[in-house]
Amino acid sequence: MSPFEIGTISILLIVGLIYVGLYVPIALGVVSFIGIWLIRDNATLSMNLLKIAISDSVTEYAFATIPLFTFMGLVVSRAGLGTDIYSVMNRVFGRMQGGVGMATVGANAMFAAVTGSSIASASVFTRVSVPEMLRLNYNPRFAVGVVAGSSVLGMIIPPSAMLIIYSFVAEQSVGHMFIAGIVPGLLLAAAFVLAIAIMARATPGFVGGTAGENGLMRWGVITRRTLPVLSLIALVLGGIYAGFFTPVEAGAVGAAAALLLAVLARRMSLRAFWQTLIETGHITANILFLITAASMYSRMLGFAGLPNELGAILEASQLDFFWVMVAYVLLMLFLGTLLDTASIILIVVPLFLPLVEPMGMSLIWFGIVTVIGAEIGLLTPPLGLSCFTIKATLNDQRIALKDVFIGALPFALVMLVVLILIIRFPILSTGLLP
């Protein structure tokens, strides 16, 4: 077989192995290792490249952002700051039609800015928001759909684990990726709120619900419940944007500040602290394996010549930028029904980067498009991870997994509209870059 044929079969094999449940780094790493071996007929070369991939991942200074931001997000989650934010947002939006859903989006947006995890957001607000909406007679499908839809904000509003993974795969600045995610993340949150307002008027039966909490919350209570999160956001993102901190330094400062806030609020016991450290280690090791396997995969693609062949095919077909992006988005939407976000990024990005870069497009912008496109997969069957997380967290047997997917569908469509806007107007993602 030719190198091109081996590379093509390797990609299909990787997708198939991940789909049947094999651990993503193992599928990427093992198939890429064997692929390079077959292409060059040299097992020693494959072994040496694996050593280089592991060494580059472990010794990369920017990799320190992953455990630091992960620890910060877990501390914030365990400290119950998501519940505090939700209580304030519920007072702001609660009296409006569909207001509790809007409050969920607003709280998720703020929570995302200090956790960076869609799964954490889905888990927290399933416990906090869904029971409240059901108590107020909201449609159960809408209740779980709002949580599923708004939870994806955790992967686009910085600090985001997916933005970090993309920055490693595309060799871009983590700090620039964080800054580029601010406007698209806020735009997506605003689009969700607008969509809820429209649905509440156009399809009141789908939304349902009665008015939430009434009355103004005292400024002292508002300050006590929102100041910790707002301070962390200003410290971390403000420090990066102003140039006071590198992303690694911002992660260290944010982690220390989050721990201090949790201790002062008496919401962090020694046992919880130890569990947080262990969980941080597990997540960090998982991402390290992902990045190492992705490095091997990128090398295998290079040896197989797949990016060059794909570029030649596109050039021969005379496809312009518009059709390349249409094909890219459709591919991500298709893979989103099969794979998780990290897998999509690791498989697709190394294949398309050599095509996008010669077009003169910003790779930072391309990263935002990639993450949003891949995140739509969190809401689509059969492998919508946010939907599965919500169903696993729910204690209400009346709500089936099918109800979660149906409720999340309008928010997946809203994400697609925002994605098209960002593709059409790249300034939305690059406007804040220095």
Side-chain angles (χ1 to χ4, degrees):
M1 287 190 295
S2 67
F4 178 79
E5 291 172 335
I6 294 173
T8 303
I9 293 172
S10 296
I11 293 177
L12 296 176
L13 185 58
I14 287 169
V15 174
L17 289 174
I18 294 173
Y19 183 60
V20 298
L22 188 64
Y23 187 44
V24 175
I26 292 178
L28 275 173
V30 171
V31 174
S32 299
F33 182 93
I34 296 174
I36 294 172
W37 184 354
L38 294 175
I39 291 170
R40 290 300 179 91
D41 193 22
N42 190 336
T44 303
L45 175 62
S46 288
M47 184 60 68
N48 290 337
L49 289 176
L50 179 60
K51 292 177 182 177
I52 293 171
I54 295 173
S55 175
D56 288 348
S57 300
V58 173
T59 59
E60 178 68 40
Y61 173 71
F63 181 78
T65 55
I66 293 174
L68 292 171
F69 281 118
T70 299
F71 179 76
M72 182 182 77
L74 291 174
V75 169
V76 167
S77 181
R78 289 185 181 275
L81 298 186
T83 304
D84 290 343
I85 299 167
Y86 175 75
S87 66
V88 174
M89 288 292 179
N90 208 9
R91 286 297 182 93
V92 174
F93 294 102
R95 298 297 300 175
M96 300 173 62
Q97 196 172 4
V100 181
M102 297 177 188
T104 302
V105 173
N108 247 317
M110 289 185 64
F111 192 63
V114 288
T115 58
S117 170
S118 295
I119 304 304
S121 295
S123 178
V124 168
F125 288 99
T126 298
R127 296 187 180 95
V128 173
S129 180
V130 173
E132 175 69 5
M133 282 192 275
L134 294 180
R135 184 181 69 83
L136 294 172
N137 297 317
Y138 278 81
N139 186 322
R141 288 181 173 177
F142 173 78
V144 291
V146 168
V147 175
S150 59
S151 70
V152 302
L153 296 172
M155 288 302 188
I156 189 63
I157 295 178
S160 159
M162 291 303 110
L163 293 180
I164 294 175
I165 289 176
Y166 173 85
S167 70
F168 277 99
V169 174
E171 298 181 352
Q172 299 298 303
S173 164
V174 175
H176 286 175
M177 287 304 306
F178 281 178
I179 294 171
I182 295 174
V183 172
L186 295 177
L187 176 63
L188 189 57
F192 283 156
V193 171
L194 178 61
I196 291 171
I198 293 173
M199 285 189 289
R201 288 187 174 275
T203 57
F206 175 73
V207 175
T210 56
E213 295 181 75
N214 196 6
L216 297 176
M217 186 177 286
R218 289 179 298 175
W219 282 107
V221 176
I222 294 175
T223 301
R224 187 174 70 251
R225 295 185 179 181
T226 60
L227 187 60
V229 171
L230 292 176
S231 299
L232 280 176
I233 295 172
L235 186 65
V236 174
L237 298 184
I240 293 175
Y241 186 74
F244 294 140
F245 307 131
T246 66
V248 174
E249 292 167 345
V253 171
L259 183 60
L260 178 62
L261 289 172
V263 171
L264 290 177
R266 297 182 179 179
R267 294 178 174 179
M268 179 62 68
S269 64
L270 285 176
R271 179 181 177 82
F273 175 68
W274 177 249
Q275 290 174 339
T276 303
L277 289 177
I278 296 296
E279 192 171 352
T280 300
H282 288 165
I283 294 173
T284 302
N286 183 41
I287 295 177
L288 177 61
F289 281 131
L290 281 171
I291 293 172
T292 301
S295 178
M296 282 295 290
Y297 171 68
S298 297
R299 287 174 166 85
M300 187 273 292
L301 291 180
F303 281 120
L306 276 174
N308 293 334
E309 289 289 342
L310 185 57
I313 292 172
L314 292 176
E315 185 176 352
S317 60
Q318 296 184 334
L319 292 179
D320 58 14
F321 166 77
F322 172 80
W323 290 110
V324 170
M325 292 310 300
V326 168
Y328 184 65
V329 171
L330 289 177
L331 177 61
M332 286 193 296
L333 293 179
F334 169 72
L335 291 177
T337 65
L338 306 172
L339 307 174
D340 62 277
T341 307
S343 301
I344 296 171
I345 292 173
L346 296 176
I347 291 171
V348 175
V349 169
L351 201 56
F352 274 80
L353 274 182
L355 307 179
V356 175
E357 198 166 10
M359 295 179 179
M361 301 307 296
S362 166
L363 295 187
I364 299 293
W365 161 84
F366 186 66
I368 300 301
V369 170
T370 298
V371 171
I372 294 177
E375 283 294 293
I376 296 176
L378 289 179
L379 307 180
T380 54
L383 192 66
L385 289 184
S386 283
C387 296
F388 275 99
T389 300
I390 290 169
K391 176 55 183 172
T393 308
L394 279 173
N395 292 320
D396 195 331
Q397 299 301 319
R398 296 171 299 173
I399 302 177
L401 181 61
K402 178 185 70 173
D403 297 319
V404 183
F405 279 120
I406 292 174
L409 181 60
F411 298 93
L413 295 176
V414 170
M415 290 184 69
L416 184 58
V417 172
V418 171
L419 177 61
I420 293 171
L421 285 175
I422 292 173
I423 293 175
R424 178 63 181 83
F425 304 103
I427 191 68
L428 291 172
S429 59
T430 59
L432 294 181
L433 292 177

